[in-house]
Amino acid sequence: MSEPIVAPTIAAVRSAVRNARAGQGDRRIALVPTMGALHAGHLALVERARDIADVVVVSIFVNPLQFGQNEDLSSYPRSLERDVAALADVGADIVFTPTESEMYPNGPSATRITGGAAAGMLEGASRRGHFEGVLTVVAKLLHIVGPDVVVFGQKDAQQVFLVQRMVRDLDFPVRVEVVDTVRDEDGLALSSRNARFDPRQRSVARTVHTALEAAVSAADRGIDACVAAAQSALMGEPLIQLDYLAVVEPGTFQPVDDGFRGKVRILIAARVGDVRLIDNDLAHLG
Ligand code: PAF
């Protein structure tokens, strides 16, 4: 595979995309937004982008707007050179690597995109302002790159829901493509933050997936059985601090009522040591 074009500025990425579009025929552009520290989960997004578009743009930007004051912005893993090499291997064409001052030249932008009530629940309740930061930077990236399709991972289910709704509500001319969560052999969802686990924490962390599996298997017996199954798996592991366990309706992200039957998404957020984990799965409540 050839080396991707590395574009550190908005002008450079716009010009690279314009040149790529000017190639033969009507070339479809895909954008994969990331914060770097790439792992196989990100590379699966790039591979999907490769399958469905002619030109793949990957952005690498650790967006300060989506980190709260006590969160891990300064310790968030950064590995730009390794990331660009990995992207060359999977055939990315353009890598957009802006600095903070390139994206926010006047400091954090005053204009923000909020996601309504659904952005204040679950992840949004635990991480105030998080989704405002995510939606604002995703909107900027969509304006800067102008892709035909933007690719996200299902692991961040609430982010996917809010981005899909923003794209609909604000008429962004882009399709949102969602790729299944990539997992380690024991089921732990891949995440850049997993690099911070010590071996003991790493082995405990898989319990989040065990709990999800238990909840999915119990779902046909109703919501109480579903929640109890996840809780009992999580409570068996004292090193896990549960943040939330929620069962929502996939189309609205609203928690389901007792007695609800049908397709639901089960979401878990938990902390192991100082690493926060999120995961989710679909189930059918009977
Ligand atoms: O999912 C992420 O890595 C980030 O939230 C995103 C979409 C790249 C925005 O900064």
Side-chain angles (χ1 to χ4, degrees):
M1 298 271 183
S2 59
E3 289 294 308
I5 295 170
V6 177
T9 64
I10 293 171
V13 77
R14 281 193 165 141
S15 147
V17 170
R18 218 175 14 252
N19 291 340
R21 274 204 195 277
Q24 335 89 309
D26 188 12
R27 306 187 84 201
R28 282 174 65 73
I29 311 281
L31 169 66
V32 182
T34 80
M35 297 205 302
L38 303 182
H39 50 64
H42 296 109
L43 301 182
L45 305 183
V46 178
E47 276 157 7
R48 175 69 61 83
R50 225 345 3 124
D51 288 345
I52 59 179
D54 306 299
V55 178
V56 177
V57 183
V58 179
S59 62
I60 297 181
F61 178 58
V62 182
N63 173 36
L65 237 54
Q66 69 190 72
F67 287 77
Q69 292 222 316
N70 302 319
E71 291 188 19
D72 55 352
L73 174 61
S74 58
S75 63
Y76 195 84
R78 288 162 170 88
S79 51
L80 187 57
E81 257 179 49
R82 194 150 35 85
D83 290 348
V84 173
L87 291 172
D89 288 344
V90 287
D93 300 290
I94 301 170
V95 188
F96 179 39
T97 58
T99 58
E100 200 176 317
S101 59
E102 179 70 11
M103 288 295 273
Y104 303 117
N106 304 312
S109 62
T111 305
R112 304 282 176 100
I113 303 215
T114 60
M121 304 159 34
L122 306 173
E123 280 304 281
S126 299
R127 307 182 65 190
R128 293 259 161 230
H130 171 67
F131 286 121
E132 194 173 290
V134 169
L135 294 176
T136 303
V137 82
V138 170
K140 278 174 75 77
L141 291 167
L142 291 175
H143 283 308
I144 292 166
V145 174
D148 300 286
V149 56
V150 61
V151 186
F152 287 94
Q154 185 61 67
K155 183 172 85 69
D156 296 300
Q158 195 176 1
Q159 168 171 285
V160 166
F161 170 80
L162 292 167
V163 168
Q164 282 172 325
R165 201 171 59 177
M166 173 184 80
V167 161
R168 267 198 319 273
D169 285 353
L170 300 183
D171 302 301
F172 280 85
V174 71
R175 185 168 72 73
V176 180
E177 173 81 7
V178 183
V179 176
D180 286 346
T181 303
V182 179
R183 300 177 180 282
D184 268 345
E185 270 173 22
D186 63 0
L188 178 69
L190 297 193
S191 161
S192 304
R193 290 183 170 99
N194 293 356
R196 305 216 312 262
F197 285 134
D198 67 27
R200 170 89 182 104
Q201 292 169 331
R202 170 62 191 80
S203 102
V204 165
R206 64 158 185 242
T207 310
V208 170
H209 181 245
T210 314
L212 265 180
E213 283 186 319
V216 171
S217 318
D220 60 354
R221 288 183 279 123
I223 185 151
D224 290 346
C226 169
V227 169
Q231 275 169 341
S232 105
L234 292 163
M235 274 167 5
E237 192 36 86
L239 290 187
I240 291 196
Q241 284 169 268
L242 179 64
D243 182 353
Y244 60 77
L245 162 61
V247 182
V248 303
E249 219 248 289
T252 60
F253 244 76
Q254 292 307 306
V256 298
D257 295 328
D258 286 352
F260 179 90
R261 281 175 176 43
K263 205 154 120 187
V264 290
R265 191 166 287 283
I266 305 168
L267 303 111
I268 295 179
R271 206 170 268 282
V272 177
D274 66 352
V275 180
R276 197 156 176 286
L277 291 163
I278 58 171
D279 204 350
N280 68 89
D281 206 350
L282 281 176
H284 197 276
L285 278 188

PDB file of all heavy atoms in Angstrom, residues 32-36 42 45 59-63 66-67 76 130-131 133-135 137-138 141 151-153 156 159 163 192, ligand 1:
ATOM      1  N   VAL A  32     -13.286   8.589   8.486  1.00  0.00           N
ATOM      2  CA  VAL A  32     -13.281   7.833   9.742  1.00  0.00           C
ATOM      3  C   VAL A  32     -12.710   8.766  10.812  1.00  0.00           C
ATOM      4  O   VAL A  32     -11.496   8.989  10.859  1.00  0.00           O
ATOM      5  CB  VAL A  32     -12.414   6.553   9.631  1.00  0.00           C
ATOM      6  CG1 VAL A  32     -12.480   5.763  10.934  1.00  0.00           C
ATOM      7  CG2 VAL A  32     -12.830   5.701   8.439  1.00  0.00           C
ATOM      8  N   PRO A  33     -13.570   9.345  11.669  1.00  0.00           N
ATOM      9  CA  PRO A  33     -13.049  10.235  12.711  1.00  0.00           C
ATOM     10  C   PRO A  33     -12.476   9.414  13.870  1.00  0.00           C
ATOM     11  O   PRO A  33     -13.124   8.468  14.330  1.00  0.00           O
ATOM     12  CB  PRO A  33     -14.284  11.012  13.195  1.00  0.00           C
ATOM     13  CG  PRO A  33     -15.414  10.612  12.286  1.00  0.00           C
ATOM     14  CD  PRO A  33     -15.041   9.299  11.687  1.00  0.00           C
ATOM     15  N   THR A  34     -11.262   9.733  14.319  1.00  0.00           N
ATOM     16  CA  THR A  34     -10.673   9.017  15.467  1.00  0.00           C
ATOM     17  C   THR A  34      -9.934  10.016  16.359  1.00  0.00           C
ATOM     18  O   THR A  34      -9.685  11.151  15.959  1.00  0.00           O
ATOM     19  CB  THR A  34      -9.638   7.936  15.042  1.00  0.00           C
ATOM     20  OG1 THR A  34      -8.378   8.585  14.758  1.00  0.00           O
ATOM     21  CG2 THR A  34     -10.088   7.131  13.834  1.00  0.00           C
ATOM     22  N   MET A  35      -9.564   9.513  17.538  1.00  0.00           N
ATOM     23  CA  MET A  35      -8.686  10.306  18.401  1.00  0.00           C
ATOM     24  C   MET A  35      -7.308   9.645  18.460  1.00  0.00           C
ATOM     25  O   MET A  35      -6.540   9.875  19.406  1.00  0.00           O
ATOM     26  CB  MET A  35      -9.298  10.437  19.791  1.00  0.00           C
ATOM     27  CG  MET A  35     -10.632  11.192  19.747  1.00  0.00           C
ATOM     28  SD  MET A  35     -11.066  12.010  21.291  1.00  0.00           S
ATOM     29  CE  MET A  35     -11.078  10.636  22.409  1.00  0.00           C
ATOM     30  N   GLY A  36      -6.991   8.804  17.471  1.00  0.00           N
ATOM     31  CA  GLY A  36      -5.671   8.172  17.428  1.00  0.00           C
ATOM     32  C   GLY A  36      -5.561   7.018  18.404  1.00  0.00           C
ATOM     33  O   GLY A  36      -6.571   6.469  18.840  1.00  0.00           O
ATOM     34  N   HIS A  42     -10.350   0.394  15.308  1.00  0.00           N
ATOM     35  CA  HIS A  42     -10.297   1.518  14.356  1.00  0.00           C
ATOM     36  C   HIS A  42      -9.982   1.006  12.946  1.00  0.00           C
ATOM     37  O   HIS A  42     -10.532   1.493  11.960  1.00  0.00           O
ATOM     38  CB  HIS A  42      -9.185   2.504  14.735  1.00  0.00           C
ATOM     39  CG  HIS A  42      -9.384   3.198  16.050  1.00  0.00           C
ATOM     40  ND1 HIS A  42      -8.617   2.929  17.153  1.00  0.00           N
ATOM     41  CD2 HIS A  42     -10.261   4.156  16.424  1.00  0.00           C
ATOM     42  CE1 HIS A  42      -8.990   3.700  18.159  1.00  0.00           C
ATOM     43  NE2 HIS A  42      -9.997   4.459  17.748  1.00  0.00           N
ATOM     44  N   LEU A  45     -12.829  -0.054  11.075  1.00  0.00           N
ATOM     45  CA  LEU A  45     -13.610   1.066  10.513  1.00  0.00           C
ATOM     46  C   LEU A  45     -12.993   1.514   9.191  1.00  0.00           C
ATOM     47  O   LEU A  45     -13.701   1.791   8.211  1.00  0.00           O
ATOM     48  CB  LEU A  45     -13.643   2.269  11.474  1.00  0.00           C
ATOM     49  CG  LEU A  45     -14.132   2.050  12.907  1.00  0.00           C
ATOM     50  CD1 LEU A  45     -14.155   3.383  13.660  1.00  0.00           C
ATOM     51  CD2 LEU A  45     -15.510   1.426  12.927  1.00  0.00           C
ATOM     52  N   SER A  59      -9.337  11.036  10.348  1.00  0.00           N
ATOM     53  CA  SER A  59      -8.875  12.170  11.148  1.00  0.00           C
ATOM     54  C   SER A  59      -8.366  11.650  12.481  1.00  0.00           C
ATOM     55  O   SER A  59      -8.914  10.695  13.047  1.00  0.00           O
ATOM     56  CB  SER A  59      -9.997  13.190  11.359  1.00  0.00           C
ATOM     57  OG  SER A  59     -11.062  12.602  12.058  1.00  0.00           O
ATOM     58  N   ILE A  60      -7.279  12.257  12.935  1.00  0.00           N
ATOM     59  CA  ILE A  60      -6.705  11.922  14.247  1.00  0.00           C
ATOM     60  C   ILE A  60      -6.634  13.233  15.024  1.00  0.00           C
ATOM     61  O   ILE A  60      -5.836  14.116  14.702  1.00  0.00           O
ATOM     62  CB  ILE A  60      -5.289  11.323  14.113  1.00  0.00           C
ATOM     63  CG1 ILE A  60      -5.348  10.003  13.328  1.00  0.00           C
ATOM     64  CG2 ILE A  60      -4.666  11.117  15.490  1.00  0.00           C
ATOM     65  CD1 ILE A  60      -3.996   9.311  13.163  1.00  0.00           C
ATOM     66  N   PHE A  61      -7.509  13.357  16.004  1.00  0.00           N
ATOM     67  CA  PHE A  61      -7.541  14.600  16.775  1.00  0.00           C
ATOM     68  C   PHE A  61      -8.109  14.288  18.159  1.00  0.00           C
ATOM     69  O   PHE A  61      -9.252  13.846  18.270  1.00  0.00           O
ATOM     70  CB  PHE A  61      -8.414  15.645  16.064  1.00  0.00           C
ATOM     71  CG  PHE A  61      -8.539  16.940  16.826  1.00  0.00           C
ATOM     72  CD1 PHE A  61      -7.403  17.673  17.160  1.00  0.00           C
ATOM     73  CD2 PHE A  61      -9.777  17.410  17.229  1.00  0.00           C
ATOM     74  CE1 PHE A  61      -7.510  18.866  17.886  1.00  0.00           C
ATOM     75  CE2 PHE A  61      -9.893  18.606  17.948  1.00  0.00           C
ATOM     76  CZ  PHE A  61      -8.755  19.329  18.274  1.00  0.00           C
ATOM     77  N   VAL A  62      -7.289  14.489  19.189  1.00  0.00           N
ATOM     78  CA  VAL A  62      -7.769  14.291  20.559  1.00  0.00           C
ATOM     79  C   VAL A  62      -8.489  15.580  20.931  1.00  0.00           C
ATOM     80  O   VAL A  62      -7.861  16.603  21.198  1.00  0.00           O
ATOM     81  CB  VAL A  62      -6.600  13.968  21.527  1.00  0.00           C
ATOM     82  CG1 VAL A  62      -7.146  13.728  22.935  1.00  0.00           C
ATOM     83  CG2 VAL A  62      -5.831  12.743  21.050  1.00  0.00           C
ATOM     84  N   ASN A  63      -9.800  15.508  20.890  1.00  0.00           N
ATOM     85  CA  ASN A  63     -10.652  16.701  20.954  1.00  0.00           C
ATOM     86  C   ASN A  63     -10.864  17.163  22.399  1.00  0.00           C
ATOM     87  O   ASN A  63     -11.625  16.535  23.132  1.00  0.00           O
ATOM     88  CB  ASN A  63     -11.999  16.331  20.309  1.00  0.00           C
ATOM     89  CG  ASN A  63     -13.037  17.418  20.465  1.00  0.00           C
ATOM     90  OD1 ASN A  63     -12.702  18.598  20.415  1.00  0.00           O
ATOM     91  ND2 ASN A  63     -14.282  17.014  20.653  1.00  0.00           N
ATOM     92  N   GLN A  66     -14.409  17.416  24.339  1.00  0.00           N
ATOM     93  CA  GLN A  66     -15.246  16.316  24.813  1.00  0.00           C
ATOM     94  C   GLN A  66     -14.728  15.678  26.104  1.00  0.00           C
ATOM     95  O   GLN A  66     -15.246  14.661  26.545  1.00  0.00           O
ATOM     96  CB  GLN A  66     -15.423  15.266  23.721  1.00  0.00           C
ATOM     97  CG  GLN A  66     -14.189  14.459  23.356  1.00  0.00           C
ATOM     98  CD  GLN A  66     -14.419  13.634  22.097  1.00  0.00           C
ATOM     99  OE1 GLN A  66     -14.481  14.155  20.992  1.00  0.00           O
ATOM    100  NE2 GLN A  66     -14.551  12.328  22.250  1.00  0.00           N
ATOM    101  N   PHE A  67     -13.671  16.281  26.686  1.00  0.00           N
ATOM    102  CA  PHE A  67     -13.144  15.775  27.957  1.00  0.00           C
ATOM    103  C   PHE A  67     -13.581  16.714  29.077  1.00  0.00           C
ATOM    104  O   PHE A  67     -13.466  17.937  28.936  1.00  0.00           O
ATOM    105  CB  PHE A  67     -11.610  15.746  27.935  1.00  0.00           C
ATOM    106  CG  PHE A  67     -11.035  14.650  27.068  1.00  0.00           C
ATOM    107  CD1 PHE A  67     -11.010  14.784  25.690  1.00  0.00           C
ATOM    108  CD2 PHE A  67     -10.516  13.489  27.635  1.00  0.00           C
ATOM    109  CE1 PHE A  67     -10.477  13.782  24.886  1.00  0.00           C
ATOM    110  CE2 PHE A  67      -9.989  12.483  26.841  1.00  0.00           C
ATOM    111  CZ  PHE A  67      -9.969  12.628  25.465  1.00  0.00           C
ATOM    112  N   TYR A  76      -4.416  10.805  27.788  1.00  0.00           N
ATOM    113  CA  TYR A  76      -5.005  10.027  26.695  1.00  0.00           C
ATOM    114  C   TYR A  76      -3.862   9.571  25.779  1.00  0.00           C
ATOM    115  O   TYR A  76      -3.004  10.383  25.399  1.00  0.00           O
ATOM    116  CB  TYR A  76      -6.020  10.867  25.912  1.00  0.00           C
ATOM    117  CG  TYR A  76      -6.888   9.988  25.032  1.00  0.00           C
ATOM    118  CD1 TYR A  76      -8.011   9.361  25.565  1.00  0.00           C
ATOM    119  CD2 TYR A  76      -6.538   9.727  23.711  1.00  0.00           C
ATOM    120  CE1 TYR A  76      -8.779   8.503  24.782  1.00  0.00           C
ATOM    121  CE2 TYR A  76      -7.306   8.869  22.935  1.00  0.00           C
ATOM    122  CZ  TYR A  76      -8.417   8.273  23.474  1.00  0.00           C
ATOM    123  OH  TYR A  76      -9.162   7.405  22.712  1.00  0.00           O
ATOM    124  N   HIS A 130     -19.823  16.081  27.478  1.00  0.00           N
ATOM    125  CA  HIS A 130     -19.064  15.191  26.578  1.00  0.00           C
ATOM    126  C   HIS A 130     -19.647  15.194  25.163  1.00  0.00           C
ATOM    127  O   HIS A 130     -18.928  15.403  24.181  1.00  0.00           O
ATOM    128  CB  HIS A 130     -19.071  13.772  27.157  1.00  0.00           C
ATOM    129  CG  HIS A 130     -18.520  12.730  26.229  1.00  0.00           C
ATOM    130  ND1 HIS A 130     -17.201  12.697  25.853  1.00  0.00           N
ATOM    131  CD2 HIS A 130     -19.110  11.691  25.580  1.00  0.00           C
ATOM    132  CE1 HIS A 130     -16.994  11.688  25.016  1.00  0.00           C
ATOM    133  NE2 HIS A 130     -18.145  11.058  24.829  1.00  0.00           N
ATOM    134  N   PHE A 131     -20.960  14.992  25.059  1.00  0.00           N
ATOM    135  CA  PHE A 131     -21.532  14.864  23.716  1.00  0.00           C
ATOM    136  C   PHE A 131     -21.607  16.199  22.979  1.00  0.00           C
ATOM    137  O   PHE A 131     -21.604  16.223  21.747  1.00  0.00           O
ATOM    138  CB  PHE A 131     -22.894  14.167  23.763  1.00  0.00           C
ATOM    139  CG  PHE A 131     -22.764  12.692  24.029  1.00  0.00           C
ATOM    140  CD1 PHE A 131     -23.361  12.113  25.136  1.00  0.00           C
ATOM    141  CD2 PHE A 131     -22.012  11.888  23.184  1.00  0.00           C
ATOM    142  CE1 PHE A 131     -23.207  10.760  25.381  1.00  0.00           C
ATOM    143  CE2 PHE A 131     -21.851  10.526  23.426  1.00  0.00           C
ATOM    144  CZ  PHE A 131     -22.459   9.967  24.534  1.00  0.00           C
ATOM    145  N   GLY A 133     -19.199  18.258  23.070  1.00  0.00           N
ATOM    146  CA  GLY A 133     -17.862  18.277  22.471  1.00  0.00           C
ATOM    147  C   GLY A 133     -17.765  17.347  21.277  1.00  0.00           C
ATOM    148  O   GLY A 133     -17.178  17.700  20.245  1.00  0.00           O
ATOM    149  N   VAL A 134     -18.358  16.147  21.407  1.00  0.00           N
ATOM    150  CA  VAL A 134     -18.289  15.174  20.304  1.00  0.00           C
ATOM    151  C   VAL A 134     -19.049  15.712  19.085  1.00  0.00           C
ATOM    152  O   VAL A 134     -18.524  15.730  17.961  1.00  0.00           O
ATOM    153  CB  VAL A 134     -18.884  13.810  20.729  1.00  0.00           C
ATOM    154  CG1 VAL A 134     -19.056  12.890  19.522  1.00  0.00           C
ATOM    155  CG2 VAL A 134     -18.022  13.144  21.796  1.00  0.00           C
ATOM    156  N   LEU A 135     -20.291  16.160  19.304  1.00  0.00           N
ATOM    157  CA  LEU A 135     -21.109  16.593  18.162  1.00  0.00           C
ATOM    158  C   LEU A 135     -20.491  17.818  17.493  1.00  0.00           C
ATOM    159  O   LEU A 135     -20.506  17.942  16.262  1.00  0.00           O
ATOM    160  CB  LEU A 135     -22.546  16.877  18.600  1.00  0.00           C
ATOM    161  CG  LEU A 135     -23.338  15.649  19.088  1.00  0.00           C
ATOM    162  CD1 LEU A 135     -24.721  16.071  19.578  1.00  0.00           C
ATOM    163  CD2 LEU A 135     -23.465  14.581  18.000  1.00  0.00           C
ATOM    164  N   VAL A 137     -17.283  18.667  17.346  1.00  0.00           N
ATOM    165  CA  VAL A 137     -16.098  18.339  16.522  1.00  0.00           C
ATOM    166  C   VAL A 137     -16.495  17.490  15.315  1.00  0.00           C
ATOM    167  O   VAL A 137     -15.938  17.656  14.225  1.00  0.00           O
ATOM    168  CB  VAL A 137     -14.977  17.674  17.371  1.00  0.00           C
ATOM    169  CG1 VAL A 137     -15.192  16.183  17.571  1.00  0.00           C
ATOM    170  CG2 VAL A 137     -13.627  17.914  16.706  1.00  0.00           C
ATOM    171  N   VAL A 138     -17.487  16.607  15.478  1.00  0.00           N
ATOM    172  CA  VAL A 138     -17.900  15.798  14.318  1.00  0.00           C
ATOM    173  C   VAL A 138     -18.506  16.719  13.255  1.00  0.00           C
ATOM    174  O   VAL A 138     -18.225  16.579  12.058  1.00  0.00           O
ATOM    175  CB  VAL A 138     -18.876  14.664  14.736  1.00  0.00           C
ATOM    176  CG1 VAL A 138     -19.488  13.989  13.513  1.00  0.00           C
ATOM    177  CG2 VAL A 138     -18.142  13.625  15.591  1.00  0.00           C
ATOM    178  N   LEU A 141     -15.655  18.377  11.520  1.00  0.00           N
ATOM    179  CA  LEU A 141     -14.943  17.451  10.623  1.00  0.00           C
ATOM    180  C   LEU A 141     -15.753  17.190   9.354  1.00  0.00           C
ATOM    181  O   LEU A 141     -15.207  17.104   8.256  1.00  0.00           O
ATOM    182  CB  LEU A 141     -14.651  16.129  11.352  1.00  0.00           C
ATOM    183  CG  LEU A 141     -13.605  16.241  12.481  1.00  0.00           C
ATOM    184  CD1 LEU A 141     -13.604  14.977  13.346  1.00  0.00           C
ATOM    185  CD2 LEU A 141     -12.200  16.484  11.906  1.00  0.00           C
ATOM    186  N   VAL A 151     -17.849   6.948   9.089  1.00  0.00           N
ATOM    187  CA  VAL A 151     -17.886   5.600   9.668  1.00  0.00           C
ATOM    188  C   VAL A 151     -17.610   5.669  11.176  1.00  0.00           C
ATOM    189  O   VAL A 151     -16.618   6.263  11.610  1.00  0.00           O
ATOM    190  CB  VAL A 151     -16.834   4.691   8.984  1.00  0.00           C
ATOM    191  CG1 VAL A 151     -16.965   3.257   9.479  1.00  0.00           C
ATOM    192  CG2 VAL A 151     -16.979   4.746   7.465  1.00  0.00           C
ATOM    193  N   PHE A 152     -18.492   5.030  11.951  1.00  0.00           N
ATOM    194  CA  PHE A 152     -18.352   4.987  13.412  1.00  0.00           C
ATOM    195  C   PHE A 152     -18.455   3.547  13.900  1.00  0.00           C
ATOM    196  O   PHE A 152     -19.055   2.692  13.227  1.00  0.00           O
ATOM    197  CB  PHE A 152     -19.468   5.799  14.085  1.00  0.00           C
ATOM    198  CG  PHE A 152     -19.290   7.278  13.954  1.00  0.00           C
ATOM    199  CD1 PHE A 152     -19.893   7.963  12.916  1.00  0.00           C
ATOM    200  CD2 PHE A 152     -18.511   7.982  14.857  1.00  0.00           C
ATOM    201  CE1 PHE A 152     -19.726   9.333  12.774  1.00  0.00           C
ATOM    202  CE2 PHE A 152     -18.329   9.350  14.723  1.00  0.00           C
ATOM    203  CZ  PHE A 152     -18.945  10.032  13.681  1.00  0.00           C
ATOM    204  N   GLY A 153     -17.934   3.315  15.107  1.00  0.00           N
ATOM    205  CA  GLY A 153     -18.018   1.984  15.715  1.00  0.00           C
ATOM    206  C   GLY A 153     -19.200   1.902  16.672  1.00  0.00           C
ATOM    207  O   GLY A 153     -19.493   2.853  17.394  1.00  0.00           O
ATOM    208  N   ASP A 156     -19.476   2.771  20.769  1.00  0.00           N
ATOM    209  CA  ASP A 156     -19.960   4.043  21.318  1.00  0.00           C
ATOM    210  C   ASP A 156     -21.401   4.240  20.849  1.00  0.00           C
ATOM    211  O   ASP A 156     -21.699   5.118  20.027  1.00  0.00           O
ATOM    212  CB  ASP A 156     -19.053   5.179  20.842  1.00  0.00           C
ATOM    213  CG  ASP A 156     -17.645   5.011  21.370  1.00  0.00           C
ATOM    214  OD1 ASP A 156     -17.481   4.997  22.596  1.00  0.00           O
ATOM    215  OD2 ASP A 156     -16.713   4.846  20.572  1.00  0.00           O
ATOM    216  N   GLN A 159     -23.062   7.675  21.168  1.00  0.00           N
ATOM    217  CA  GLN A 159     -22.441   8.598  20.202  1.00  0.00           C
ATOM    218  C   GLN A 159     -23.026   8.357  18.805  1.00  0.00           C
ATOM    219  O   GLN A 159     -23.386   9.304  18.094  1.00  0.00           O
ATOM    220  CB  GLN A 159     -20.928   8.371  20.210  1.00  0.00           C
ATOM    221  CG  GLN A 159     -20.171   9.041  19.080  1.00  0.00           C
ATOM    222  CD  GLN A 159     -18.662   8.956  19.293  1.00  0.00           C
ATOM    223  OE1 GLN A 159     -18.109   9.672  20.120  1.00  0.00           O
ATOM    224  NE2 GLN A 159     -17.981   8.096  18.554  1.00  0.00           N
ATOM    225  N   VAL A 163     -25.040  11.146  16.730  1.00  0.00           N
ATOM    226  CA  VAL A 163     -24.499  11.615  15.436  1.00  0.00           C
ATOM    227  C   VAL A 163     -25.533  11.360  14.339  1.00  0.00           C
ATOM    228  O   VAL A 163     -25.782  12.235  13.490  1.00  0.00           O
ATOM    229  CB  VAL A 163     -23.150  10.928  15.104  1.00  0.00           C
ATOM    230  CG1 VAL A 163     -22.756  11.182  13.656  1.00  0.00           C
ATOM    231  CG2 VAL A 163     -22.047  11.419  16.042  1.00  0.00           C
ATOM    232  N   SER A 192      -8.846   2.320  23.103  1.00  0.00           N
ATOM    233  CA  SER A 192      -7.491   2.871  23.288  1.00  0.00           C
ATOM    234  C   SER A 192      -7.124   2.879  24.766  1.00  0.00           C
ATOM    235  O   SER A 192      -5.959   2.747  25.134  1.00  0.00           O
ATOM    236  CB  SER A 192      -7.427   4.290  22.732  1.00  0.00           C
ATOM    237  OG  SER A 192      -7.829   4.280  21.386  1.00  0.00           O
TER     238      SER A 192
HETATM  239  O1  PAF B   1     -15.180   8.143  19.062  1.00  0.00           O
HETATM  240  C1  PAF B   1     -14.217   8.934  19.080  1.00  0.00           C
HETATM  241  O2  PAF B   1     -13.043   8.527  19.009  1.00  0.00           O
HETATM  242  C2  PAF B   1     -14.482  10.421  19.216  1.00  0.00           C
HETATM  243  O3  PAF B   1     -15.578  10.670  20.037  1.00  0.00           O
HETATM  244  C3  PAF B   1     -14.651  11.125  17.864  1.00  0.00           C
HETATM  245  C4  PAF B   1     -15.879  10.619  17.131  1.00  0.00           C
HETATM  246  C5  PAF B   1     -13.402  10.892  17.008  1.00  0.00           C
HETATM  247  C6  PAF B   1     -14.824  12.628  18.062  1.00  0.00           C
HETATM  248  O4  PAF B   1     -13.707  13.193  18.677  1.00  0.00           O
END
